Amino acid sequence: MRQPYKNIMEARERRIAEARSLTLFSDTFMSVALKDPAACQHVLRILTGIRDLTVKEIRIQYRISKITSHDAILDILAEDSKGRMYNIEIQRKDTVDHARRTRFYSSMIDGESLAKGKTYSEMPDVYIIYISETDLWKAGKTVYPVQKSFAGTKIPYEDGVHILYVNAAIDDGSDTAKLMKYFKTSDPADMSQGDLSKRVHFLKQEEGGYQIMCDISEKWFLEGKEDGKKEGREEGFIQQAKKTAYNMANAGIPVEKIASFVDFNIDTVKKWLSEQPSPVS
């Protein structure tokens, strides 16, 4: 049974503590961390192998809308100094059609980047980087680059789209594997990942980062509260707690921590999450 918090400050501190426990396998935290150009550049240089890559622009949780089709909400969409586009996606579920999802994202980026009057040759190269905790393709590799060629030949089919599947389950000793290990811990005391480590340390340990993490936690809470206003008082509180639980689950937080955060028992929270509508992304 729910027990009221002792005071508002205690509830707020608990929300901030949960936000600080996020890792880079939370699309919420990853988006905030990689909003910093230096951190984003560090990650892209390692994942693509383009050592002189310079990030020019970053958009987080970027929505591409079309009137007659699904929207796409991209975790990270970055552009480098040469006009190449990079989409980084965190995937925690094994149940989606990964290949068709990357195809969809690529097509949406193409449609967004090719203005009227431009030729197809002016379309930028696009990198879709799909990061998972598990080895989705189960072939024991850390990185799976998609390579296209004509059947029966070694002639490459170059269309400017580069797809990389990267996972944290396989440690091949590479720089990418080390980066994925860091993604799993996101330890602010671990400074092994250069500008990315500096950014994580700032967000989790420094005063300015404290405010950003506070904003993340308040966003979860207020989104739930807004939904709760539409219902009766007690029912509204439950709806608020449900919405907060959905937001936290989508950010990769374990159900035990969610239950502690919203102050309902674990079985109740598990039931809510089993009934959660599938997000469109």
Side-chain angles (χ1 to χ4, degrees):
M1 188 68 180
R2 178 178 60 83
Q3 297 295 325
Y5 290 123
K6 291 180 181 179
N7 54 59
I8 293 174
M9 287 302 296
E10 178 187 343
R12 183 171 179 271
E13 289 302 319
R14 288 180 68 176
R15 292 198 296 273
I16 294 169
E18 294 302 338
R20 279 178 160 168
S21 72
L22 295 175
T23 74
L24 289 161
F25 273 102
S26 155
D27 53 11
T28 300
F29 184 63
M30 190 267 291
S31 295
V32 173
L34 298 195
K35 187 177 182 180
D36 175 70
C40 186
Q41 185 170 281
H42 175 86
V43 170
L44 287 175
R45 284 180 173 182
I46 290 177
L47 295 180
T48 65
I50 305 172
R51 295 300 176 178
D52 63 348
L53 185 157
T54 302
V55 169
K56 184 176 76 173
E57 184 179 356
I58 302 166
R59 303 167 195 170
I60 65 171
Q61 296 298 311
Y62 181 62
R63 181 184 292 273
I64 302 176
S65 300
K66 303 293 181 185
I67 294 175
T68 58
S69 67
H70 240 30
D71 288 359
I73 303 175
L74 310 181
D75 290 343
I76 297 286
L77 182 63
E79 182 179 353
D80 73 8
S81 59
K82 295 183 178 179
R84 294 173 295 208
M85 306 296 292
Y86 304 86
N87 171 216
I88 303 176
E89 293 293 322
I90 293 291
Q91 177 57 40
R92 294 185 310 275
K93 297 179 181 178
D94 292 335
T95 55
V96 302
D97 190 328
H98 308 292
R100 282 179 170 78
R101 185 180 178 192
T102 56
R103 169 186 164 188
F104 177 67
Y105 284 170
S106 174
S107 68
M108 293 294 275
I109 294 169
D110 283 345
E112 183 87 344
S113 60
L114 186 64
K116 287 183 179 180
K118 288 193 174 184
T119 65
Y120 293 121
S121 63
E122 294 178 272
M123 294 174 68
D125 275 20
V126 174
Y127 288 76
I128 308 292
I129 303 170
Y130 200 82
I131 301 175
S132 62
E133 291 185 88
T134 60
D135 180 5
L136 299 177
W137 304 106
K138 298 179 173 56
K141 296 181 179 296
T142 302
V143 183
Y144 295 86
V146 176
Q147 296 179 336
K148 303 173 189 176
S149 62
F150 291 99
T153 77
K154 294 184 179 180
I155 301 172
Y157 183 78
E158 299 287 358
D159 59 1
V161 178
H162 312 272
I163 299 173
L164 302 172
Y165 290 92
V166 183
N167 72 82
I170 306 300
D171 185 354
D172 62 3
S174 65
D175 287 344
T176 296
K178 292 172 185 175
L179 177 64
M180 289 299 99
K181 184 177 180 181
Y182 181 81
F183 262 54
K184 286 198 294 186
T185 62
S186 302
D187 181 356
D190 180 353
M191 302 305 291
S192 65
Q193 291 298 319
D195 288 320
L196 177 62
S197 291
K198 292 177 185 176
R199 176 66 171 172
V200 170
H201 185 275
F202 167 75
L203 290 171
K204 292 192 173 187
Q205 297 292 318
E206 298 180 31
E207 185 61 33
Y210 178 90
Q211 184 57 51
I212 294 172
M213 300 306 286
C214 179
D215 290 345
I216 292 172
S217 67
E218 290 301 311
K219 180 175 180 289
W220 294 335
F221 183 71
L222 292 174
E223 284 180 357
K225 188 174 183 180
E226 189 63 30
D227 280 5
K229 287 179 181 178
K230 300 174 184 176
E231 309 293 337
R233 184 159 186 167
E234 183 60 27
E235 180 60 25
F237 182 87
I238 294 172
Q239 291 302 319
Q240 174 187 338
K242 280 186 179 182
K243 179 67 174 180
T244 301
Y246 294 161
N247 289 335
M248 295 178 74
N250 290 335
I253 295 176
V255 66
E256 295 81 5
K257 290 187 175 181
I258 297 172
S260 172
F261 185 89
V262 298
D263 230 1
F264 280 81
N265 65 55
I266 291 177
D267 290 338
T268 297
V269 173
K270 284 182 177 178
K271 183 174 184 296
W272 292 346
L273 297 181
S274 70
E275 298 167 348
Q276 178 186 9
S278 297
V280 176
S281 61

